[in-house]
Structure formats: structure tokens, C-alpha cells
Amino acid sequence: MKKDKSTLVSLICVLLLGGVLAILAFTAPVLTKAFIEGFNRPAGVFYPVVTTFYCILPFAAGVIVCLIKLLLNIMGGEVFTKLNVSLIRSISILMFIATLIFAVAGYFYMPFYLLGVCAAFIVTIVRVVKNCFAAAVLIKDENDMTI
């Protein structure tokens, strides 16, 4: 029962994050301008920040969708499946693309280099989890064939 609650909490967090992402899709320029003015940043960072955000947006949305599908599968009792391995692989690919975007964007606004390093670290963790899931699927398939 505790496991179900944990998965439900994770799903709620992902849905909230998806909602925040949707709101940011419409408010990013206004919030970026307020950030620049509020923290006395150079006005020239506006376009690199907003452009980078909108370049990252579809990949972030893809990660949210994959996470929702993954958590729903887990809640349905389907944990170690090829579909879940595929979803985790998709998350890592989407995060890797975001890492590349941050690496390029860092040329225009240096803090993006830090975000790129963080994203690369997350990609590494997700790849390790994907490999664990893939190994578990193989073991599960072997056990299912054993009488």
C-alpha cells in the first residue's frame, strides 16, 4: 500500500510539473523580462534565455509524457516490461538532446553550461536505471519461461 501511495505522489508531482511547464510556455517572456529587470542582468540575455527555453520545451514536455506513462504502468502492476524500458530510454534521449541544447546555449549565456552539466548527470543516472530495468526484464522473461 505504501508503494502505491509513493507512486501516486510521484504521479501528482509530475502532473504538477507538467502544469508549471504549460504555464511557463505562455509566460516565459514576461517572467524572463522580470528576472532581467529584478536582478539587474544585461538586457542582451533576454533572447538567448527565451530562445533556449522554447528549444527545450518540447523535449521537457516529452519527458513529462513519458514519466506519466511510466508511472501509470507501474500503478497498473506492469513494472519490468519492455515498454517501460523503452519509456526510460526515451527519457534519457530527450534529456541528452536538452544537454546538447544547453551546451550550445552556454555560448550565449554562461549559466546554461551549468544546466548542461546537471542535465548530463541526470542522463547518466537515467541510463543506469534503464540498464537495471532492462536486466530485470530479461530475468523476468527467463523466470516466466521456467516451470
Side-chain angles (χ1 to χ4, degrees):
M1 188 68 174
K2 186 175 181 181
K3 181 180 167 187
D4 293 336
K5 287 182 181 177
S6 176
T7 308
L8 180 61
V9 168
S10 296
L11 181 61
I12 290 168
C13 289
V14 170
L15 290 170
L16 287 173
L17 188 58
V20 168
L21 192 65
I23 291 168
L24 286 174
F26 296 101
T27 60
V30 172
L31 292 175
T32 303
K33 187 173 182 178
F35 167 79
I36 289 169
E37 292 171 358
F39 288 95
N40 201 21
R41 306 316 271 155
V45 302
F46 176 81
Y47 289 110
V49 169
V50 171
T51 302
T52 301
F53 173 75
Y54 284 114
C55 287
I56 294 288
L57 183 65
F59 303 104
V63 168
I64 296 291
V65 168
C66 289
L67 285 171
I68 290 169
K69 288 180 180 181
L70 179 65
L71 290 167
L72 288 175
N73 289 346
I74 291 170
M75 289 175 75
E78 297 293 321
V79 180
F80 298 114
T81 64
K82 291 178 182 176
L83 175 60
N84 287 350
V85 172
S86 175
L87 288 168
I88 296 170
R89 182 181 298 114
S90 296
I91 291 168
S92 72
I93 292 168
L94 292 167
M95 287 296 301
F96 180 73
I97 295 168
T99 300
L100 295 176
I101 293 170
F102 283 133
V104 171
Y107 177 79
F108 301 100
Y109 187 57
M110 221 161 170
F112 285 132
Y113 285 133
L114 178 62
L115 289 176
V117 170
C118 293
F121 186 69
I122 292 170
V123 168
T124 304
I125 293 170
V126 171
R127 294 298 295 186
V128 169
V129 170
K130 191 268 310 171
N131 291 337
C132 292
F133 261 72
V137 167
L138 289 175
I139 293 169
K140 180 182 166 274
D141 288 348
E142 270 184 27
N143 288 341
D144 288 347
M145 287 193 266
T146 305
I147 296 177

